[in-house]
């Protein structure tokens, strides 16, 4: 491998690893806020215990997400200096907003929420966790706005003196059509991720008869959110596919391994053949579905890889503009497949737990525990699909990936940093998993039989939630 290949592996490993924590944080923030709201409205102890239990797991995940995010930024500056110089003026604005506004809200009010139990009035304390959720959602928007600029660059001009992108319209960057479609897709996927985590842990306890009064409401909440989130993922995914066909038609063609332009085009459920598309041995196809996915018209024309490669050569000059088709094809299907399994389990769970029932089948409990990994897998392969399908561009149509890597980094240096970061992430994974398993198995904490609102007390009650 050369330096570029190693740098791409390093980027892929650090980004996918960091992205394991982000959707869970986004999803759990809202679920924890919802449970605390239920306690605030009903006064029932089971909701308070559930809030503190899931809040503890939420905090562990937030801490690990911050650590891995810092490491990711470090590798950007080290291995992708030319890329950082080119996009710096554009990315500075949304990333500054993310740090000064979103992360400030999230971290400040998270501290108030942690230390505010029995010190802040309940209404104020409840508001802090909702502000934390707002901060995580805002943070996701600004980060996605920056990433969407790489997918569909707008609001910029290339400075002829420096050769760098210069921001000309921050409003265009923040309202980029790509981020407006990608954001709800990521948010709904994050809700499914948080719900699957809550479902799996609840199922583990319920299968053993532990704390049924606490975990059954959590289970039902998780199933409802997983189903609603899955529907949202499907709808926003369809919108993304149509926008992707318009902005990056090569990515859609590669996702289908569609080499020849077709009208109407069928959707490949599974195709076996040569990697270059020259020979198709066997395929299972659904007629006209790809045309509808791409254009919203079952008879629409969908351009193939061969025609798009020729058009790219004419537009950008000689070169290979075809992404890795097998990776793009399979990550697209795995993303959809994992999502469908999550939605199916949510439907089954809602049916089995209707009218106060609990499933008697151990198979359902085991499937629910294993299903924790489904959204994480879907998010990861979806991210790989998004980034790999854009190749050979770092910034689509503007900056090739080959021109983004640090020119002064040697193969040995990048290989060393790749090994160190991978080892570090391996250690962090063991720590994260160990903490989550330990505290998830411990179950919800006990709470006082009557916990007065500090606003009604003359003397504040000094206590610590965790």
């Amino acid at each position: 491998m050369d330096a570029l290949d190693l740098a791409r592996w390093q980027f892929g490993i650090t980004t996918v690893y960091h992205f394991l924590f982000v959707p869970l944080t986004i999803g759990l923030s809202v679920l924890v806020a919802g449970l605390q709201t239920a306690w605030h409205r009903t006064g029932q102890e089971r909701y308070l215990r559930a809030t503190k239990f899931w809040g503890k797991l939420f905090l562990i995940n937030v801490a690990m997400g911050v650590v891995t995010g810092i490491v990711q930024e470090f590798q950007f500056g080290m291995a992708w200096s030319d890329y950082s110089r080119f996009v710096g003026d554009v990315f500075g604005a949304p990333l500054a907003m993310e740090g000064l506004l979103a992360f400030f809200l999230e971290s400040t009010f998270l501290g108030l929420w942690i230390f505010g139990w029995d010190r802040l009035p309940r209404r104020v304390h409840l508001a802090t966790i909702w502000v934390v959720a707002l901060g995580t959602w805002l943070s996701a928007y600004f980060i996605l706005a920056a990433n969407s600029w790489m997918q569909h660059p707008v609001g910029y001009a290339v400075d002829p003196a420096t050769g760098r992108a210069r921001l000309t319209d921050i409003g265009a960057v923040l309202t980029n059509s790509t981020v407006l479609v990608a954001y709800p897709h990521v948010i709904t996927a994050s809700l499914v991720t948080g719900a699957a985590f809550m479902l799996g842990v609840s199922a583990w306890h319920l299968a053993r008869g532990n704390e049924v009064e606490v975990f059954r409401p959590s289970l039902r909440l998780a199933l409802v959110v997983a189903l609603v989130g899955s529907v949202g993922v499907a709808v926003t995914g369809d919108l993304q596919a149509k926008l992707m066909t318009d902005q990056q038609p090569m990515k859609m063609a590669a996702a289908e391994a569609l080499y020849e332009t077709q009208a109407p085009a069928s959707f490949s459920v599974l195709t076996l053949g040569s990697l270059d598309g020259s020979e198709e041995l066997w395929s299972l196809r659904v007629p006209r579905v790809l045309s509808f996915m791409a254009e919203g018209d079952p008879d629409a024309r969908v351009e193939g890889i061969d025609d798009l490669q020729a058009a790219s050569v004419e537009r950008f000059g000689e070169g290979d503009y075809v992404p890795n088709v097998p990776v793009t094809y399979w990550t697209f299907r795995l993303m959809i497949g994992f999502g469908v399994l999550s939605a199916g389990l949510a439907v089954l769970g809602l049916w089995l737990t209707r009218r106060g029932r609990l499933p008697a089948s151990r198979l359902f409990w085991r499937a629910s525990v294993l299903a924790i990994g489904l959204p994480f897998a879907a998010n990861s392969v979806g991210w790989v699909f998004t980034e790999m399908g854009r190749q050979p561009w770092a910034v689509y149509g503007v900056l090739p990936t080959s021109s983004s890597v640090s020119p002064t980094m040697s193969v040995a240096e990048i290989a060393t940093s790749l090994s160190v970061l991978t080892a570090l992430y391996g250690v962090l994974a063991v720590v994260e998993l160990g903490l989550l398993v330990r505290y998830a198995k411990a179950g919800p904490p006990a709470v006082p039989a009557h916990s007065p609102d500090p606003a009604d007390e003359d003397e504040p009650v000094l206590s610590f939630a965790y």
Side-chain angles (χ1 to χ4, degrees), residues 447-460:
V447 297
H450 173 65
S451 180
D453 189 335
D456 301 329
E457 295 292 308
D458 293 332
E459 294 294 334

Side-chain angles (χ1 to χ4, degrees), residues 48-57 201 205 215 439-440 442-445:
L48 174 59
R49 298 182 68 202
T51 301
K52 293 198 172 188
F53 174 72
W54 296 112
K56 187 184 299 179
L57 299 178
V201 175
H205 282 284
F215 285 112
Y439 285 101

Side-chain angles (χ1 to χ4, degrees), residues 3 6-8 10-11 73-84 404-407 409 414 417:
L6 290 172
R8 290 182 66 188
Q10 181 170 277
F11 171 80
E73 291 182 7
F74 172 72
Q75 70 90 27
F76 261 119
M78 180 179 60
W80 301 98
S81 59
D82 277 4
Y83 162 83
S84 299
S404 305
V405 70
S406 300
M409 288 287 287
I414 295 184
S417 63

Side-chain angles (χ1 to χ4, degrees), residues 26 94 103 117 129 147 164 178 180 230 252 266 292 296 350 376 380 412 436 438 466:
I26 295 172
F103 188 69
W117 287 98
I129 188 63
N147 178 266
R164 302 175 187 174
T178 306
L180 295 181
S230 296
M252 173 55 87
S266 59
F292 182 79
L350 285 172
F376 290 98
S380 298
L436 286 177
R438 176 183 175 186
Y466 303 103

Side-chain angles (χ1 to χ4, degrees), residues 19 26 94-95 137-151 173 176 178-179 181-187 383:
F19 199 56
I26 295 172
L95 294 185
W137 285 40
L138 278 175
S139 181
Y141 188 85
F142 291 126
I143 296 295
L144 279 174
N147 178 266
S148 295
W149 188 82
M150 296 164 62
Q151 309 287 341
V173 173
N176 189 343
T178 306
V179 71
V181 174
Y183 182 69
H185 190 64
V186 170
I187 289 297
W383 198 259

Side-chain angles (χ1 to χ4, degrees), residues 222-237:
L223 290 169
V224 170
V225 172
L227 181 58
V228 173
S230 296
V231 173
V233 169
V235 172
T236 55

Side-chain angles (χ1 to χ4, degrees), residues 232-461:
V233 169
V235 172
T236 55
D238 180 65
L239 295 174
Q240 258 196 315
K242 292 174 172 56
L243 188 67
M244 181 176 69
T245 304
D246 179 51
Q247 295 178 349
Q248 297 182 28
M250 181 65 87
K251 185 187 289 186
M252 173 55 87
E256 286 298 311
L258 182 70
Y259 282 83
E260 298 179 0
T261 301
Q262 295 182 9
S266 59
F267 175 77
S268 164
V269 178
L270 179 62
T271 297
L272 300 178
S274 59
L275 295 180
D276 62 359
S278 61
E279 184 180 2
E280 181 176 305
L281 302 177
W282 180 85
S283 68
L284 175 61
R285 295 181 175 276
V286 183
R288 301 176 186 274
V289 170
L290 179 57
S291 292
F292 182 79
M293 286 176 58
E295 301 288 351
D297 179 356
D299 296 319
R301 177 175 181 267
V302 180
E303 292 184 284
I305 292 173
D306 294 340
D307 288 341
L308 290 169
Q309 165 66 17
S312 296
V313 170
E314 184 176 350
R315 179 182 176 187
F316 301 113
E318 288 296 328
D320 183 2
Y321 299 94
V322 182
N324 188 314
V325 175
V327 171
T328 312
Y329 178 88
W330 284 109
T331 51
F332 188 60
R333 270 142 198 81
L334 290 173
M335 175 183 64
I336 295 174
F338 291 141
V340 170
L341 287 176
S342 297
L345 186 64
V347 172
L348 177 63
L350 285 172
W351 171 256
L352 294 175
T353 58
R354 70 192 186 281
R355 299 175 183 173
R357 302 175 184 176
L358 280 177
S361 170
R362 286 191 172 274
L363 182 60
F364 174 77
W365 297 128
R366 290 172 182 168
S368 297
V369 174
L370 293 175
I372 292 176
L374 289 177
F376 290 98
N379 295 334
S380 298
V381 295
W383 198 259
V384 170
F385 165 72
T386 300
E387 298 302 297
M388 289 290 288
R390 190 180 65 240
Q391 297 305 312
W393 301 104
V395 179
Y396 189 77
V398 178
L399 179 68
T401 304
S402 57
S403 300
S404 305
V405 70
S406 300
T408 57
M409 288 287 287
S410 67
V411 172
E413 288 172 330
I414 295 184
T416 301
S417 63
L418 172 62
S419 302
V420 171
L421 290 179
T422 303
L424 175 63
Y425 277 179
V427 172
L428 290 176
V430 172
V431 173
E432 160 84 356
L433 190 61
L435 287 173
L436 286 177
V437 170
R438 176 183 175 186
Y439 285 101
K441 284 185 174 180
V447 297
H450 173 65
S451 180
D453 189 335
D456 301 329
E457 295 292 308
D458 293 332
E459 294 294 334
V461 179

